Amino acid sequence: MRRILPALTGAALFAAAGLTVLATPHAASAADCTPAQVVANGGFESGSSPWTAPSGAITADSGQSAHSGNSYAWLDGTGSTHTDTLSQSVTLPTGCGTATLGFWLHVDTAETTTSTAYDTLAVKLGTTTVATYSNLDAQDGYVHKTVDASAFAGQTVTLSFTGTEDSSLQTSFVLDDITLDASGGTTPPQPGDPTRTPAAPAYTVNLTSDASGGSWTGHESVTFTNASPTALNEVYLRLWDNAHGSCPSTPITVTNVTGGTPAPLSVNCTALKVTLPAPLAQGQSGTVGFDLGITVPSGADRFGHDGAYNFLGNALPVLAIRDAAGWHLDPYTNNGESFYSVASDFTVTLDHPTSLLVPATGTSVDTPGAAGRTVTKATASKVRDFAWGAGPFTRISGTSAAGVKVNVYSVAGISAADAKSMLSTATSAVDAHAQRFGAYPYGELDAVIDNNFWFGGMEYPGFVLDLVSTTALTHEIAHQWWYGIVGDDEYNAPWLDEAFTDYATDLAQGKTGNGCWNNVSWASSAEKITNSMAYWDANSSRYSTVVYGYGKCALHDLRRTIGDTAMTTLLRSYAQAHWYGVSTTAEFKAAAQAATTVDLTSFWSQHRIDG
């Protein structure tokens, strides 16, 4: 996120960013996998190509509705003996050990049985049936289905959906937003990055809101593994949003801790030490649970509410990292980000009034709750954080050409034209960045638009907050790669996400950065692109200029130094090698040097890139 200071105007308003680190036990390497989403036209918005389908099956007919956009595929629904098949050939990249088929399915039927599957939908990859549905799966609305397709890595196969009806009583199988994501190397998962622990956290959260969506109560638990050869005696939870309160009166409360003994809050109430019952050796796992209360403060902030609209960024406690430098318990910064976390899995259930829409990280499915309430279940894999919103938003949806579902949620006062423009920007940007760095892996993407945000924009995995601004939204979406997929220590090395994201934004918008390094003027000998947030909090007026501006200009200058082709290959290969992993300045410098025969020693010195 770019935190906009009062003195900043003009172009400074349009960059926003953030980051977090990750240490995953399974990071793909450039040599063994190029992540990709391999289904073409999965939202059917580009007509029938390259699908093979019966005439009229791919349609925008009002008899059914699309999950997003206007078009969908409607199989069967005749009420007589009938078979429809929808298919296309797909190629899964060689070396990718993980592949997931995803699609949205709506089934409606005139069958009255609750026990017999008279009409069926068979999902196949090649000749293998990977899933089957029937009239027994009928329900209101779409449901997101996922199927493990990892066994087909490196193969070209036909993906098909075959609906078969018997002689009476119709069943319609309606499909939309079909994806097949391949990622991950074929090398066996490792026990973890021994320099960063706890590893592979899995969070399970169940929360219920009040009528406004501004107060939430419930339970959270996290299971984790010690990846380090050094025993793990304790963990720390970061309650980042307590920086918005007045310690010890805090908006985030943790009580009834299980799985360890809590200590008093520290670091301005943003850190909670939990001593484990017994030390965990390398490879051993533990679980910590607690009751959680969240009260959203007033203010159009990444954690705050703008009237009826609530924004809950960093509201869930997450595990701190212990690495070679020890526990990272840096203070919260309002100027940028302090967040440093590993790739994690989240299952978050949010019970809320039906009148409120709840955009969230991950893929969400809504089911009816108690009277007047809806239960939104969001699942997200290999993300560094989880964020959501709650309010009477206006939502429009679409699907990018590469098959990514995008939702734009607008507060009151955002015109329909502006919302539509932001949807167009988002679908274009997510594909542009994916083409350069690797396929977007998080299913859908939610953009929440409010022109009252004082900071410009903020990124979370699959969820961004933004103004009506093409440049800012393109920037925030680039953070899905540079912070979300390729992690870093945002407090100690903010340039690794902000500079790279601003550079990616320039590329997406066709800007070459010609001559921008010529305008660099250092404020002091201590000023460097690679300084930490501790330095920038003390020199806040220079943060945007140096980290965003000089940082991206340095990358443009590196491109001119090593050549366009080498730079393009470098960044894509570097992203693949650090997919769901952590980037450091030293690692990037080494990768850049390996990409060219030019000695870059003087380049790093001239551009004040240390590390």
Side-chain angles (χ1 to χ4, degrees), residues 447-480:
V448 180
I449 309 298
D450 185 341
N451 278 334
N452 290 329
F453 290 140
W454 66 269
F455 47 83
M458 178 67 196
E459 74 290 342
Y460 295 99
F463 178 97
V464 300
L465 305 172
D466 221 315
L467 308 167
V468 175
S469 166
T470 297
T471 302
L473 187 55
T474 302
H475 175 103
E476 298 310 329
I477 292 173
H479 269 304
Q480 300 301 309

Short mmCIF file of all heavy atoms in Angstrom, two decimals, residues 447-480:
data_model
loop_
_atom_site.label_atom_id
_atom_site.label_comp_id
_atom_site.label_asym_id
_atom_site.label_seq_id
_atom_site.Cartn_x
_atom_site.Cartn_y
_atom_site.Cartn_z
N ALA A 447 -12.16 -6.25 -5.58
CA ALA A 447 -11.68 -4.86 -5.46
C ALA A 447 -12.78 -4.03 -4.81
O ALA A 447 -13.91 -4.00 -5.32
CB ALA A 447 -11.32 -4.30 -6.84
N VAL A 448 -12.46 -3.39 -3.69
CA VAL A 448 -13.42 -2.58 -2.95
C VAL A 448 -13.06 -1.12 -3.17
O VAL A 448 -11.95 -0.69 -2.86
CB VAL A 448 -13.39 -2.94 -1.45
CG1 VAL A 448 -14.39 -2.09 -0.68
CG2 VAL A 448 -13.68 -4.43 -1.26
N ILE A 449 -14.01 -0.35 -3.72
CA ILE A 449 -13.73 1.00 -4.19
C ILE A 449 -14.41 2.04 -3.29
O ILE A 449 -15.64 1.99 -3.10
CB ILE A 449 -14.19 1.19 -5.65
CG1 ILE A 449 -13.64 0.07 -6.54
CG2 ILE A 449 -13.78 2.56 -6.17
CD1 ILE A 449 -12.13 0.01 -6.62
N ASP A 450 -13.62 2.98 -2.77
CA ASP A 450 -14.13 4.06 -1.92
C ASP A 450 -13.21 5.25 -2.10
O ASP A 450 -12.02 5.18 -1.75
CB ASP A 450 -14.16 3.61 -0.45
CG ASP A 450 -14.80 4.63 0.49
OD1 ASP A 450 -14.90 5.81 0.11
OD2 ASP A 450 -15.17 4.25 1.61
N ASN A 451 -13.72 6.34 -2.63
CA ASN A 451 -12.88 7.52 -2.86
C ASN A 451 -12.51 8.26 -1.58
O ASN A 451 -11.75 9.23 -1.63
CB ASN A 451 -13.56 8.47 -3.84
CG ASN A 451 -13.36 8.06 -5.29
OD1 ASN A 451 -12.38 7.40 -5.63
ND2 ASN A 451 -14.29 8.43 -6.15
N ASN A 452 -13.02 7.82 -0.44
CA ASN A 452 -12.64 8.43 0.83
C ASN A 452 -11.38 7.84 1.43
O ASN A 452 -10.89 8.34 2.45
CB ASN A 452 -13.79 8.32 1.84
CG ASN A 452 -14.96 9.19 1.48
OD1 ASN A 452 -14.79 10.25 0.87
ND2 ASN A 452 -16.16 8.78 1.85
N PHE A 453 -10.83 6.78 0.83
CA PHE A 453 -9.59 6.22 1.36
C PHE A 453 -8.49 7.28 1.29
O PHE A 453 -8.14 7.75 0.21
CB PHE A 453 -9.16 4.99 0.57
CG PHE A 453 -10.03 3.78 0.77
CD1 PHE A 453 -10.35 2.96 -0.30
CD2 PHE A 453 -10.52 3.45 2.02
CE1 PHE A 453 -11.14 1.83 -0.12
CE2 PHE A 453 -11.31 2.33 2.22
CZ PHE A 453 -11.62 1.51 1.15
N TRP A 454 -7.93 7.62 2.44
CA TRP A 454 -6.91 8.68 2.47
C TRP A 454 -5.56 8.20 1.96
O TRP A 454 -4.69 8.98 1.58
CB TRP A 454 -6.74 9.20 3.90
CG TRP A 454 -6.18 8.20 4.87
CD1 TRP A 454 -6.87 7.34 5.64
CD2 TRP A 454 -4.80 7.98 5.15
NE1 TRP A 454 -6.02 6.57 6.40
CE2 TRP A 454 -4.74 6.95 6.12
CE3 TRP A 454 -3.60 8.53 4.70
CZ2 TRP A 454 -3.54 6.45 6.63
CZ3 TRP A 454 -2.40 8.04 5.22
CH2 TRP A 454 -2.38 7.03 6.17
N PHE A 455 -5.38 6.86 1.92
CA PHE A 455 -4.06 6.29 1.66
C PHE A 455 -3.88 5.89 0.21
O PHE A 455 -2.82 5.42 -0.17
CB PHE A 455 -3.83 5.07 2.55
CG PHE A 455 -5.00 4.11 2.56
CD1 PHE A 455 -5.15 3.17 1.57
CD2 PHE A 455 -5.94 4.17 3.57
CE1 PHE A 455 -6.23 2.30 1.57
CE2 PHE A 455 -7.01 3.30 3.59
CZ PHE A 455 -7.17 2.36 2.59
N GLY A 456 -4.87 6.03 -0.63
CA GLY A 456 -4.75 5.63 -2.03
C GLY A 456 -5.22 4.23 -2.27
O GLY A 456 -6.21 3.99 -2.95
N GLY A 457 -4.58 3.23 -1.69
CA GLY A 457 -4.99 1.84 -1.89
C GLY A 457 -4.20 0.91 -0.99
O GLY A 457 -3.19 1.28 -0.42
N MET A 458 -4.70 -0.31 -0.86
CA MET A 458 -4.06 -1.31 -0.01
C MET A 458 -4.35 -2.68 -0.57
O MET A 458 -5.45 -2.97 -1.01
CB MET A 458 -4.60 -1.21 1.42
CG MET A 458 -4.03 -2.24 2.38
SD MET A 458 -2.27 -1.97 2.67
CE MET A 458 -1.81 -3.55 3.38
N GLU A 459 -3.34 -3.53 -0.51
CA GLU A 459 -3.46 -4.87 -1.07
C GLU A 459 -3.48 -5.93 0.01
O GLU A 459 -2.76 -5.84 1.02
CB GLU A 459 -2.28 -5.16 -2.01
CG GLU A 459 -0.96 -5.40 -1.32
CD GLU A 459 -0.37 -4.17 -0.67
OE1 GLU A 459 -0.79 -3.05 -1.02
OE2 GLU A 459 0.51 -4.32 0.20
N TYR A 460 -4.31 -6.92 -0.21
CA TYR A 460 -4.31 -8.18 0.54
C TYR A 460 -4.48 -9.29 -0.49
O TYR A 460 -4.88 -9.03 -1.64
CB TYR A 460 -5.46 -8.21 1.56
CG TYR A 460 -5.31 -7.17 2.64
CD1 TYR A 460 -6.00 -5.97 2.57
CD2 TYR A 460 -4.46 -7.39 3.72
CE1 TYR A 460 -5.85 -5.00 3.55
CE2 TYR A 460 -4.30 -6.43 4.71
CZ TYR A 460 -4.99 -5.24 4.63
OH TYR A 460 -4.84 -4.29 5.59
N PRO A 461 -4.20 -10.53 -0.14
CA PRO A 461 -4.36 -11.60 -1.14
C PRO A 461 -5.80 -11.69 -1.65
O PRO A 461 -6.75 -11.85 -0.88
CB PRO A 461 -3.97 -12.86 -0.34
CG PRO A 461 -3.05 -12.36 0.72
CD PRO A 461 -3.61 -11.03 1.12
N GLY A 462 -5.96 -11.53 -2.95
CA GLY A 462 -7.27 -11.64 -3.57
C GLY A 462 -8.26 -10.57 -3.18
O GLY A 462 -9.45 -10.68 -3.48
N PHE A 463 -7.79 -9.49 -2.56
CA PHE A 463 -8.68 -8.47 -2.00
C PHE A 463 -7.90 -7.16 -1.92
O PHE A 463 -6.84 -7.10 -1.30
CB PHE A 463 -9.10 -8.91 -0.59
CG PHE A 463 -9.99 -7.94 0.15
CD1 PHE A 463 -11.36 -8.10 0.16
CD2 PHE A 463 -9.45 -6.89 0.88
CE1 PHE A 463 -12.18 -7.23 0.88
CE2 PHE A 463 -10.25 -6.02 1.59
CZ PHE A 463 -11.63 -6.18 1.59
N VAL A 464 -8.40 -6.11 -2.61
CA VAL A 464 -7.72 -4.83 -2.57
C VAL A 464 -8.71 -3.72 -2.26
O VAL A 464 -9.90 -3.81 -2.59
CB VAL A 464 -6.98 -4.52 -3.90
CG1 VAL A 464 -5.92 -5.58 -4.18
CG2 VAL A 464 -7.95 -4.40 -5.07
N LEU A 465 -8.22 -2.69 -1.59
CA LEU A 465 -8.97 -1.47 -1.33
C LEU A 465 -8.40 -0.39 -2.23
O LEU A 465 -7.18 -0.27 -2.34
CB LEU A 465 -8.83 -1.05 0.13
CG LEU A 465 -9.21 -2.09 1.19
CD1 LEU A 465 -8.83 -1.59 2.58
CD2 LEU A 465 -10.69 -2.42 1.13
N ASP A 466 -9.27 0.42 -2.85
CA ASP A 466 -8.71 1.40 -3.78
C ASP A 466 -9.66 2.55 -4.03
O ASP A 466 -10.86 2.48 -3.75
CB ASP A 466 -8.39 0.73 -5.12
CG ASP A 466 -7.08 1.23 -5.69
OD1 ASP A 466 -6.85 2.45 -5.69
OD2 ASP A 466 -6.27 0.39 -6.11
N LEU A 467 -9.08 3.61 -4.56
CA LEU A 467 -9.81 4.74 -5.11
C LEU A 467 -10.25 4.42 -6.54
O LEU A 467 -9.84 3.42 -7.11
CB LEU A 467 -8.91 5.98 -5.15
CG LEU A 467 -8.17 6.41 -3.89
CD1 LEU A 467 -7.12 7.44 -4.25
CD2 LEU A 467 -9.14 6.96 -2.87
N VAL A 468 -11.03 5.30 -7.12
CA VAL A 468 -11.29 5.21 -8.57
C VAL A 468 -10.05 5.76 -9.26
O VAL A 468 -9.87 6.97 -9.42
CB VAL A 468 -12.54 6.01 -8.97
CG1 VAL A 468 -12.70 5.99 -10.49
CG2 VAL A 468 -13.78 5.43 -8.30
N SER A 469 -9.15 4.87 -9.63
CA SER A 469 -7.89 5.26 -10.27
C SER A 469 -7.33 4.07 -11.02
O SER A 469 -7.05 3.02 -10.42
CB SER A 469 -6.86 5.73 -9.23
OG SER A 469 -5.57 5.78 -9.80
N THR A 470 -7.17 4.22 -12.32
CA THR A 470 -6.62 3.14 -13.13
C THR A 470 -5.22 2.78 -12.68
O THR A 470 -4.88 1.60 -12.54
CB THR A 470 -6.61 3.56 -14.62
OG1 THR A 470 -7.95 3.75 -15.06
CG2 THR A 470 -5.95 2.49 -15.48
N THR A 471 -4.37 3.77 -12.42
CA THR A 471 -2.99 3.51 -12.03
C THR A 471 -2.92 2.84 -10.67
O THR A 471 -2.19 1.87 -10.47
CB THR A 471 -2.17 4.81 -12.03
OG1 THR A 471 -2.22 5.40 -13.33
CG2 THR A 471 -0.72 4.55 -11.64
N ALA A 472 -3.68 3.37 -9.70
CA ALA A 472 -3.64 2.80 -8.35
C ALA A 472 -4.13 1.36 -8.35
O ALA A 472 -3.53 0.50 -7.68
CB ALA A 472 -4.47 3.65 -7.40
N LEU A 473 -5.21 1.07 -9.06
CA LEU A 473 -5.74 -0.29 -9.05
C LEU A 473 -4.79 -1.25 -9.76
O LEU A 473 -4.60 -2.39 -9.32
CB LEU A 473 -7.13 -0.33 -9.70
CG LEU A 473 -7.87 -1.66 -9.61
CD1 LEU A 473 -8.00 -2.13 -8.17
CD2 LEU A 473 -9.25 -1.56 -10.26
N THR A 474 -4.18 -0.81 -10.85
CA THR A 474 -3.19 -1.65 -11.53
C THR A 474 -2.02 -1.95 -10.59
O THR A 474 -1.50 -3.07 -10.58
CB THR A 474 -2.69 -0.95 -12.81
OG1 THR A 474 -3.80 -0.69 -13.67
CG2 THR A 474 -1.68 -1.81 -13.55
N HIS A 475 -1.64 -0.96 -9.79
CA HIS A 475 -0.57 -1.13 -8.80
C HIS A 475 -0.97 -2.15 -7.73
O HIS A 475 -0.22 -3.08 -7.43
CB HIS A 475 -0.27 0.24 -8.17
CG HIS A 475 0.72 0.19 -7.04
ND1 HIS A 475 2.04 0.58 -7.18
CD2 HIS A 475 0.58 -0.16 -5.74
CE1 HIS A 475 2.66 0.45 -6.03
NE2 HIS A 475 1.79 0.01 -5.13
N GLU A 476 -2.15 -1.99 -7.15
CA GLU A 476 -2.57 -2.89 -6.07
C GLU A 476 -2.68 -4.32 -6.56
O GLU A 476 -2.36 -5.27 -5.83
CB GLU A 476 -3.90 -2.44 -5.48
CG GLU A 476 -3.89 -1.06 -4.84
CD GLU A 476 -2.75 -0.86 -3.86
OE1 GLU A 476 -2.31 -1.83 -3.22
OE2 GLU A 476 -2.28 0.27 -3.74
N ILE A 477 -3.15 -4.50 -7.78
CA ILE A 477 -3.27 -5.85 -8.32
C ILE A 477 -1.89 -6.45 -8.58
O ILE A 477 -1.69 -7.66 -8.40
CB ILE A 477 -4.17 -5.84 -9.57
CG1 ILE A 477 -5.62 -5.52 -9.16
CG2 ILE A 477 -4.11 -7.19 -10.31
CD1 ILE A 477 -6.57 -5.31 -10.30
N ALA A 478 -0.92 -5.63 -8.95
CA ALA A 478 0.46 -6.13 -9.11
C ALA A 478 1.01 -6.67 -7.80
O ALA A 478 1.86 -7.56 -7.78
CB ALA A 478 1.37 -5.03 -9.66
N HIS A 479 0.50 -6.14 -6.68
CA HIS A 479 0.93 -6.64 -5.37
C HIS A 479 0.52 -8.08 -5.14
O HIS A 479 1.07 -8.74 -4.24
CB HIS A 479 0.33 -5.78 -4.27
CG HIS A 479 1.20 -4.63 -3.86
ND1 HIS A 479 2.49 -4.78 -3.43
CD2 HIS A 479 0.94 -3.30 -3.80
CE1 HIS A 479 3.00 -3.60 -3.12
NE2 HIS A 479 2.07 -2.69 -3.34
N GLN A 480 -0.43 -8.59 -5.91
CA GLN A 480 -0.77 -10.00 -5.76
C GLN A 480 0.45 -10.88 -6.03
O GLN A 480 0.57 -11.97 -5.46
CB GLN A 480 -1.92 -10.37 -6.69
CG GLN A 480 -3.20 -9.59 -6.45
CD GLN A 480 -3.72 -9.77 -5.04
OE1 GLN A 480 -3.88 -10.88 -4.54
NE2 GLN A 480 -3.97 -8.65 -4.36
#
